[in-house]
Amino acid sequence: MQGAGWSTVFASGQGTVLMRGCEVRNDVGAGVVVTSPHGGVLESCRFDEIGTSAVVVADDGALLIRACTVVKAVANGICLNGRGRLTVEDTAISATGKPAVAVEQQAAIAATRLTVSSVDGIGFYLASGGTVTLEDCVAERLGAEGFFVAEGCKPSLRSCRARSTASRGVHFAARSGGKVIDCEISDIDGIGVNVTERSTPEFDRLFVTGCSATGVRVSDAADPFFRRLRVQGTDGVSIEATGGGRGTLENVEVDGGEVGLRVIGDSRLSVSGLSLRNTAAAGVEVFDAALALADSAIDGSGGNAVHAGTGASLSVLRCRVHSSVGVGCLFADGAAGTVSESEFSGGKSDGIRLDTEESVRVANCTVRDNQGSGLRQARPGTGIEVLDLITSGNLKPDAYGTSASAGVTEVPSPAPEQRATVADPLEQLQALVGLAGVKREVTSLINLNKMAKRRQDAGLSAPPMARHLVFAGAPGTGKTTVARLYGQVLAQLGVLREGHLIEVARADLVAQIIGGTAIKTTEAFNTALGGVLFIDEAYTLSSSKGGSGPDFGREAIDTLVKLMEDHREDVVVIAAGYSNEMSKFLESNPGMESRFSRTIEFANYTAEELVTIVESQCAKHDYLLDDEAAGALHVYFEEIPKDGTFGNGRTARRVFERMTDRQASRLAEAESVSQVDLKLLTSDDLETGVK
């Protein structure tokens, strides 16, 4: 079919076009133009040497395209605008002069297995307010972006792939959004995923690999959400937020790259469940920006593992840093923040170094086996607070406190009575709020280990016993804290060599490639030798159904069972999670249940205990809770639903933090404030719904 006008085939009004097995050529105009709502079907057709766009659906047009091919169009392969609607399946487009697929205005498209290749420009240009759904679509060998989303468009991209493109694999701009699920971006000559201009897309199970620049970049007040993101093999920064970028990232895996995670230029990120390995330079960098990093593991950084520079506000919570070439965690001049419940070990420099005069709080951390100091404060100042630091095996002495000096090359170790002392772990266990049943069980275990050690020392055989445990219960009930103290007690008894705690989750054990899980699980297990391996939400290793997830999770379980047997005298494994799920976890492997000696149940805190936790937070931070506020909290904790979202101790700590925020706002408006006012938290500081 040869055309010589503005369109070879035109369906308008009530017109319908039905074409099967046709070849369309038109070196002047379009191939098929449809404005009719009864537009029809194109099946197994070929468009070649088209002077403008091959297929145009405009106005209120509607069309179905199935198993067609577009080759050599001067403009678009497919162009949708107005309120046009297109369904396209099993179709290929190549060699277009403009975006191969353009969807604009209020047009809608549902595309399945649509492939775009060998185009000098953009593959998919999505700028419509209508419904845009792409599934199993491919953009490859392009001179520009694979998927360009703009003008507030909110597409759904599922199982799509962008590979061998220039500039950016996927680009979200101009307040766009939508969802990207199970997609892969690979071999990009530039940035893998770029989110900018206040865009807010959501990503789930995104894999980015082989980018010559940045793997994932967020800028210009964009606020995306990433869950289960993997980035590997980038030449530049793996993940970067700049220019006021925002965002939340959960369960992120980064392997390689120059820098793993960089947050700069007034940006603000919240990252949890980050597993970061083998960066050429720093693992994490923060400059003139804010980062909240929680429940993460950083291994093998070629520079500082965590580097907070000028203007940084950094929060590190429950993180594990191992084997960095530089400092485990550095607060440089002008940086501030907190480091809590984290471990820094096996580094070639200091575990934690504080080169700042700003406020930094280090609490409940472990620094061990570093070639520098465990913790070193390089400048004098009163803004540094160090609480409950566990330090061992570091080659240089620790030095911190207001007298520390940047001019000292070898900082002397403080006298024993001046150093931060760690209370007896058994005393710390008994001092925890509530947990009466847990304390009895753990004390019984400790006594059993104590007697076994005495029998061995006396030349008697030790009673048969497995030290591995299951901690079952809801979140926030102190499972991690009890595990850490249990390891310390066993180290004191000489049962364990060191007693340190290594906390891991599924992301730290399971890889996404065949054979990778056994390697990854073994590496994590080996870091815990001599101490405690704490597997949080262990049931997730066996809870997936279908796909590759359960196979890889089962591989991790099988590997753990063997390692637990091979090293039964040199490690304690504690698997933690909800009670019902943990019962199923134990049934997932024939040898699993026999490896764990007992299950310890962690009950929800009572309302009275939760109030006590709030009061302990007040005492720890120089606040006082008045009686009226305490009474209101008791009623609130009695009535709050104890469902899957209830955080127990975390909920109590969150209430305390919000009270301090509201108190600060309340006092900021007062003309005069006394010292008593600064300390007192009242019912006015309780949020609506808590009062």
Side-chain angles (χ1 to χ4, degrees), residues 139-207:
E140 60 185 358
R141 301 190 305 278
L142 308 179
E145 288 85 355
F147 299 86
F148 191 113
V149 187
E151 305 304 329
C153 185
K154 294 178 172 56
S156 172
L157 309 183
R158 183 180 292 272
S159 301
C160 294
R161 298 180 297 283
R163 55 196 179 210
S164 300
T165 75
S167 186
R168 294 163 289 214
V170 176
H171 179 67
F172 282 84
R175 298 178 182 268
S176 55
K179 295 186 177 181
V180 180
I181 302 171
D182 278 322
C183 292
E184 180 177 325
I185 315 299
S186 60
D187 300 323
I188 308 300
D189 186 12
I191 299 171
V193 175
N194 193 56
V195 187
T196 187
E197 296 176 350
R198 300 184 180 274
S199 297
T200 57
E202 297 181 15
F203 299 83
D204 191 6
R205 296 188 298 275
L206 174 68
F207 179 34

Side-chain angles (χ1 to χ4, degrees), residues 72 93-97 100 115-121 139-143 163-164:
K72 295 182 182 178
I93 302 174
S94 62
T96 63
T115 298
V116 172
S117 62
S118 302
V119 173
D120 290 338
E140 60 185 358
R141 301 190 305 278
L142 308 179
R163 55 196 179 210
S164 300

Side-chain angles (χ1 to χ4, degrees), residues 126-391:
L126 310 176
S128 169
T131 302
V132 176
T133 303
L134 308 183
E135 185 166 357
D136 287 320
C137 294
V138 177
E140 60 185 358
R141 301 190 305 278
L142 308 179
E145 288 85 355
F147 299 86
F148 191 113
V149 187
E151 305 304 329
C153 185
K154 294 178 172 56
S156 172
L157 309 183
R158 183 180 292 272
S159 301
C160 294
R161 298 180 297 283
R163 55 196 179 210
S164 300
T165 75
S167 186
R168 294 163 289 214
V170 176
H171 179 67
F172 282 84
R175 298 178 182 268
S176 55
K179 295 186 177 181
V180 180
I181 302 171
D182 278 322
C183 292
E184 180 177 325
I185 315 299
S186 60
D187 300 323
I188 308 300
D189 186 12
I191 299 171
V193 175
N194 193 56
V195 187
T196 187
E197 296 176 350
R198 300 184 180 274
S199 297
T200 57
E202 297 181 15
F203 299 83
D204 191 6
R205 296 188 298 275
L206 174 68
F207 179 34
V208 181
T209 182
C211 300
S212 67
T214 305
V216 174
R217 190 174 189 267
V218 179
S219 65
D220 196 14
D223 191 5
F225 176 71
F226 292 88
R227 179 189 290 116
R228 290 175 283 192
L229 166 68
R230 286 195 298 140
V231 182
Q232 69 180 39
T234 60
D235 293 338
V237 179
S238 293
I239 302 172
E240 181 178 55
T242 184
R246 301 290 186 265
T248 301
L249 296 87
E250 296 179 353
N251 298 330
V252 180
E253 185 176 341
V254 175
D255 194 346
E258 184 69 17
V259 174
L261 172 64
R262 175 181 287 161
V263 188
I264 58 176
D266 198 33
S267 298
R268 183 178 297 272
L269 283 191
S270 174
V271 181
S272 62
L274 170 66
S275 175
L276 194 156
R277 300 183 297 276
N278 305 324
T279 55
V284 175
E285 287 184 343
V286 189
F287 294 89
D288 293 315
L291 171 65
L293 183 66
D295 301 309
S296 298
I298 302 172
D299 286 309
S301 300
N304 299 323
V306 181
H307 185 146
T310 303
S313 175
L314 173 67
S315 169
V316 178
L317 176 64
R318 294 188 302 274
C319 293
R320 176 175 60 85
V321 173
H322 180 68
S323 191
S324 59
V325 172
V327 178
C329 183
L330 170 65
F331 282 82
D333 186 22
T338 62
V339 185
S340 307
E341 302 175 39
S342 298
E343 178 179 289
F344 303 87
S345 65
K348 289 183 168 50
S349 184
D350 300 329
I352 301 174
R353 191 167 78 217
L354 310 175
D355 290 350
T356 181
E357 296 179 2
E358 302 298 323
S359 174
V360 177
R361 185 173 188 269
V362 179
N364 299 308
C365 289
T366 299
V367 284
R368 62 182 182 85
D369 302 330
N370 297 288
Q371 295 183 22
S373 301
L375 188 150
R376 178 183 295 227
Q377 178 185 350
R379 294 188 177 187
T382 59
I384 306 300
E385 183 180 16
V386 180
L387 300 171
D388 298 329
L389 181 72
I390 300 172
T391 180

